[in-house]
Amino acid sequence: MQAEHQDIIDFLRRYPPFDALPLDALALAACSIEVSYFKAGSSILSFGQQVDAWYVIRSGAVEVYRRNGDLYNRLSAGGYFGQFGLLRESSVRFPVTALEDTLAWLIPAPVFHQLFTQYEAFADVVEVEDRTRLRHTVARSEDANELLTSRIDTLIGRKPVTIETSGTVREAAITMSAEGVSSLLVMNAGVPEGAMGNAARMAGMLTDRDLRTRVIAKGLSVDTPVSEIMTPELIYGEHHQMVFEAMLTMMRHNVHHLPVLRQGQPIGVISQSDILRHESQNSLFVVSRIFHANSVEELRALSGEVRACFRRIVREDANSQMIGSAMAVIGRSFTQRLLELAEQRLGRRRCPTVFWRWDRWRVRSS
């Protein structure tokens, strides 16, 4: 087997429905693949067009539409499309457009039909689960919650404000004040702009909270390099993600600012307040209340808000993955806050079992 075919197999087996196929079936698919490249904004499949291959996204992102032009779904690496046309008279039912520069692998129709016919688990995912997934997509009715239908790039009001790692705390504070922002993207001074993309230059994030808790509260000099107080583990979102997805990311990592990238380039930063202004009563607000609770009684009092949050998400037609993700994050937030309160009250030595569980929770959630 050629090395390039092994690379294809290694990629495919990471995603359903390919994870249900044996090695020889994966090898058959890998050997038959043709590669196509589509520029951002270009049409890949048009309604009624004859289709003779199944498309698997290797990199990039695409948007799938209804025939009336409404957005139906959004797919990225590991996603696939064209199967409905292949299974129904070989004509395209859902037009597809490249959202980003996209590299797609085309599996010829005869190979697709062979896999679909011979492997029941593969067929079940393609025909049943994919249809369910497409029914629960981001395109909703006009009165749907905008959290589910708005992209995060609609929240961006300006380009990101940056500072290099060699900059000082004083320079950071002056920049924040002059620009009227609460965060700065910290860029690696040693990597020239454009080399390997701006994503490679991003060293971390610095917020006004960092200045309060890591500089002022600890009495550090204003000449301290920002590289010593920034948050280096940068969590970011992609411009084509929905506001709801950004909200879940911020909840999951308990961050207040989220850089937004387009094709590896930072195009802006959104904050929790941006999302809260966009939708004043949501899961992110509940999580914020959880982390601000100062007693078990205050946490208990939030149970009604959690139930209301659940009912609202269901009522607004979120799919099961969205509902499950939001509730899981809320549950983990309760756990984390309870353990933090236990540490404050009892101390680590007086509750070793609790903190052993805390360590286990942290491992599971990483």
Side-chain angles (χ1 to χ4, degrees), residues 112 137 180 193 295 311 322 339 364:
F112 169 79
T137 53
E193 186 170 358
S295 68
R311 287 193 295 268
M322 289 178 173
L339 293 172
R364 288 200 305 270

Side-chain angles (χ1 to χ4, degrees), residues 85-106:
L86 291 174
L87 294 172
R88 295 172 180 82
E89 301 178 353
S90 296
S91 62
V92 175
R93 293 169 56 85
F94 299 98
V96 182
T97 298
L99 180 63
E100 300 177 354
D101 291 346
T102 298
L103 187 68
W105 288 340
L106 279 60

Side-chain angles (χ1 to χ4, degrees), residues 48 54 73 164 175 193 197 199 278 284 293 324 341:
W54 187 39
N73 203 5
E164 294 195 337
T175 301
E193 186 170 358
H278 186 78
L284 186 60
L341 292 173

Side-chain angles (χ1 to χ4, degrees), residues 135-137 139-141 144-145 148 311-320 322-323:
R135 281 202 301 266
H136 296 288
T137 53
R140 303 295 181 188
S141 61
N145 182 359
L148 308 182
R311 287 193 295 268
R312 182 177 187 186
I313 296 174
V314 172
R315 186 172 61 250
E316 289 169 344
D317 204 21
N319 63 36
S320 58
M322 289 178 173
I323 297 170

Side-chain angles (χ1 to χ4, degrees), residues 22 41 67 160 165 185 190 203 213 249 280 304 316 318 320 330 344:
R67 68 177 71 182
T165 50
L185 272 181
T213 60
T249 298
S280 60
E316 289 169 344
S320 58
I330 289 174
Q344 293 173 12

